[in-house]
Amino acid sequence: MDIKNTKLYKKHEKYLVWTRQKVPLNDFSGLDFLEKLDYEFEKTPNFKPLIKENIKYIAIHHAEIDNGNREYYHWLHKAYFGWDAIGYHFVIGNGKDGLSIDGKIEEGRSLNYQGAHVKSVNHESIGICLVGNMDNYRPTEKQYDSLISLVKKLISKYDIDISNVRGHNEFKGVTKTCPGKMFDLEEFRNMLKE
Ligand SMILES: [Zn+2]
């Protein structure tokens, strides 16, 4: 799906403007955002717990748009999909347009809750999103380094097999290119072995 061709793009642009106004460019400490999210989780009975012992997969995504940050995607997911919160557990910035910091890892939906990122495995997976459109370019070096260190930490913490670190498009029934044609998943898994 090319987001720019959708009817909702206007809404999307509106939220981009909103985010620019709301998120000071030099303050991504995020405390306020996570506090706000916690509040929303408490208010919303729809979130299902993510049972730690069940975590089997890590799913890598790209945003499919050039810029953004967790707060932006949070609002985007609410506006676009009517979800209650951002679907990803982590977002890694690319620094584009001052909306994110290159390589900075931001926490999204709490790992206490199932994400909304790969329908068939939300109950047993962690979702990580790279800001950018990796159909057109590779992740930035800093983004890639951050992704490797984050995934290494998660696979050791939750005892996840490297072969279960997958691109969104490697899950059954997925037809989209996510995490993008330029993201080499084999190369990435090899990096995790080092
Ligand atoms: Zn995806």
Side-chain angles (χ1 to χ4, degrees):
M1 173 182 75
D2 181 0
I3 285 175
K4 284 181 182 155
N5 290 333
T6 63
K7 266 193 251 166
L8 284 167
Y9 188 67
K10 281 218 157 30
K11 218 172 197 177
H12 160 103
E13 282 184 314
K14 197 177 82 191
Y15 281 107
L16 178 56
V17 172
W18 183 90
T19 308
R20 279 184 206 277
Q21 289 166 347
K22 283 282 185 203
V23 185
L25 296 186
N26 55 1
D27 180 17
F28 281 85
S29 59
L31 196 63
D32 289 349
F33 176 73
L34 287 181
E35 277 171 356
K36 234 182 324 182
L37 256 189
D38 277 348
Y39 173 71
E40 292 188 33
F41 284 129
E42 270 171 36
K43 258 191 349 190
T44 312
N46 303 335
F47 293 104
K48 294 183 191 140
L50 179 60
I51 314 292
K52 300 287 183 292
E53 292 72 34
N54 293 351
I55 296 174
K56 191 174 162 193
Y57 300 104
I58 292 176
I60 312 295
H61 302 266
H62 71 150
E64 214 184 315
I65 46 180
D66 293 328
N67 54 25
N69 55 53
R70 63 170 173 198
E71 184 137 26
Y72 178 27
Y73 300 147
H74 176 60
W75 288 102
L76 203 56
H77 286 174
K78 290 176 80 144
Y80 253 66
F81 306 117
W83 297 345
D84 296 304
I86 184 169
Y88 308 117
H89 294 107
F90 296 96
V91 172
I92 304 181
N94 64 355
K96 198 121 187 249
D97 300 330
L99 277 177
S100 63
I101 290 169
D102 193 9
K104 176 154 184 184
I105 300 166
E106 297 183 301
E107 287 175 59
R109 190 177 294 204
S110 159
L111 276 176
N112 293 327
Y113 299 97
Q114 294 180 22
H117 56 100
V118 182
K119 218 170 183 184
S120 56
V121 294
N122 282 332
H123 63 290
E124 53 181 354
S125 66
I126 297 170
I128 304 173
C129 178
L130 296 164
V131 175
N133 186 344
M134 263 50 89
D135 279 336
N136 301 330
Y137 42 79
R138 289 171 61 95
T140 71
E141 249 171 73
K142 285 181 179 167
Q143 250 184 329
Y144 203 68
D145 289 347
S146 296
L147 179 65
I148 286 168
S149 70
L150 174 63
V151 170
K152 276 185 173 172
K153 264 184 222 154
L154 293 170
I155 56 180
S156 99
K157 186 166 181 189
Y158 297 106
D159 196 22
I160 297 166
D161 201 283
I162 287 178
S163 64
N164 283 341
V165 177
R166 299 190 187 170
H168 187 180
N169 64 15
E170 293 178 310
F171 289 93
K172 219 177 153 190
V174 177
T175 52
K176 58 203 302 194
T177 58
C178 184
K181 293 170 193 157
M182 304 287 281
F183 191 100
D184 187 333
L185 288 155
E186 280 310 325
E187 178 192 283
F188 179 65
R189 277 185 288 264
N190 283 332
M191 297 290 287
L192 295 175
K193 289 171 192 160
E194 282 171 16

